[in-house]
Amino acid sequence: MDAYFGYNQIKMHPLDEDNTTFTIGPGIYFYKMMHFGLKNIGATFRRMVDKVFKNLIECTMEVYTDDMLVKSVLRMDHIQHLGEAFNLLQKYRVKLNLEKCTFGVAFGKFLGYLVTQRGIEADPDQISVIKNMKLSICVKEVQMLNEHLAALN
């Protein structure tokens, strides 16, 4: 699942609104909701996510920034786990970007990795360059291989 403009769903603290003032023409404006240009927005969003999903993270959910994954070992438990996540999303008025959401899949890509029942694996598309490389002892090609491996880390 993907939060719809995740950062923009967090209200600014009223005392901090004055710190975001800007002018356009004759008007002076300030942000009422968080925006991407703020220095600590990532940490603020993470604190919000940790607060909202504190009982589900690492049990039935994994969250990275605005990407959320609801996981279940048994298929029959998945509807209940989704319901718990949706109840919290509704309670805290967190909106999802439905175009980026996928539900009820046995495996899928998440943050560049393949998530399956066996666990987290490297995405075959990500490692195809390495798998298809010809063997060589040329220093330049070994350096390129190291760059590809570092990118996968």
Side-chain angles (χ1 to χ4, degrees):
M1 299 183 295
D2 183 78
Y4 186 74
F5 291 105
Y7 296 161
N8 302 115
Q9 295 187 47
I10 303 173
K11 289 185 180 181
M12 292 285 295
H13 189 281
L15 298 176
D16 292 332
E17 289 175 350
D18 288 344
N19 296 328
T20 66
T21 57
F22 59 95
T23 59
I24 297 179
I28 298 175
Y29 303 92
F30 61 88
Y31 287 96
K32 290 189 157 290
M33 305 299 275
M34 295 280 191
H35 65 95
F36 287 95
L38 296 175
K39 184 177 183 179
N40 293 324
I41 187 65
T44 302
F45 188 79
R46 184 63 204 202
R47 276 194 309 276
M48 186 271 302
V49 167
D50 287 344
K51 178 183 174 186
V52 170
F53 300 111
K54 68 181 172 191
N55 295 328
L56 302 182
I57 291 177
E58 294 184 3
C59 294
T60 60
M61 282 189 78
E62 298 296 337
V63 179
Y64 181 78
T65 314
D66 64 344
D67 295 317
M68 297 166 271
L69 176 74
V70 177
K71 59 186 182 177
S72 306
V73 175
L74 300 175
R75 181 181 290 254
M76 62 186 180
D77 294 336
H78 194 60
I79 299 297
Q80 177 187 346
H81 295 158
L82 281 172
E84 293 168 352
F86 287 145
N87 286 338
L88 291 170
L89 289 166
Q90 187 175 24
K91 177 180 178 181
Y92 290 97
R93 296 186 177 132
V94 178
K95 295 173 183 64
L96 297 177
N97 183 351
L98 293 180
E99 292 178 8
K100 292 185 175 181
C101 292
T102 306
F103 301 100
V105 294
F107 64 91
K109 293 180 183 179
F110 183 67
L111 303 174
Y113 293 93
L114 194 59
V115 180
T116 68
Q117 288 180 321
R118 294 185 306 269
I120 299 171
E121 303 172 3
D123 180 1
D125 295 338
Q126 298 281 339
I127 62 172
S128 64
V129 172
I130 296 167
K131 289 173 93 176
N132 296 330
M133 281 184 74
K134 61 181 171 101
L135 294 177
S136 176
I137 56 171
C138 172
V139 173
K140 185 76 172 168
E141 289 183 3
V142 172
Q143 289 172 337
M144 285 176 47
L145 175 61
N146 281 335
E147 289 174 12
H148 290 298
L149 292 173
L152 277 174
N153 189 22

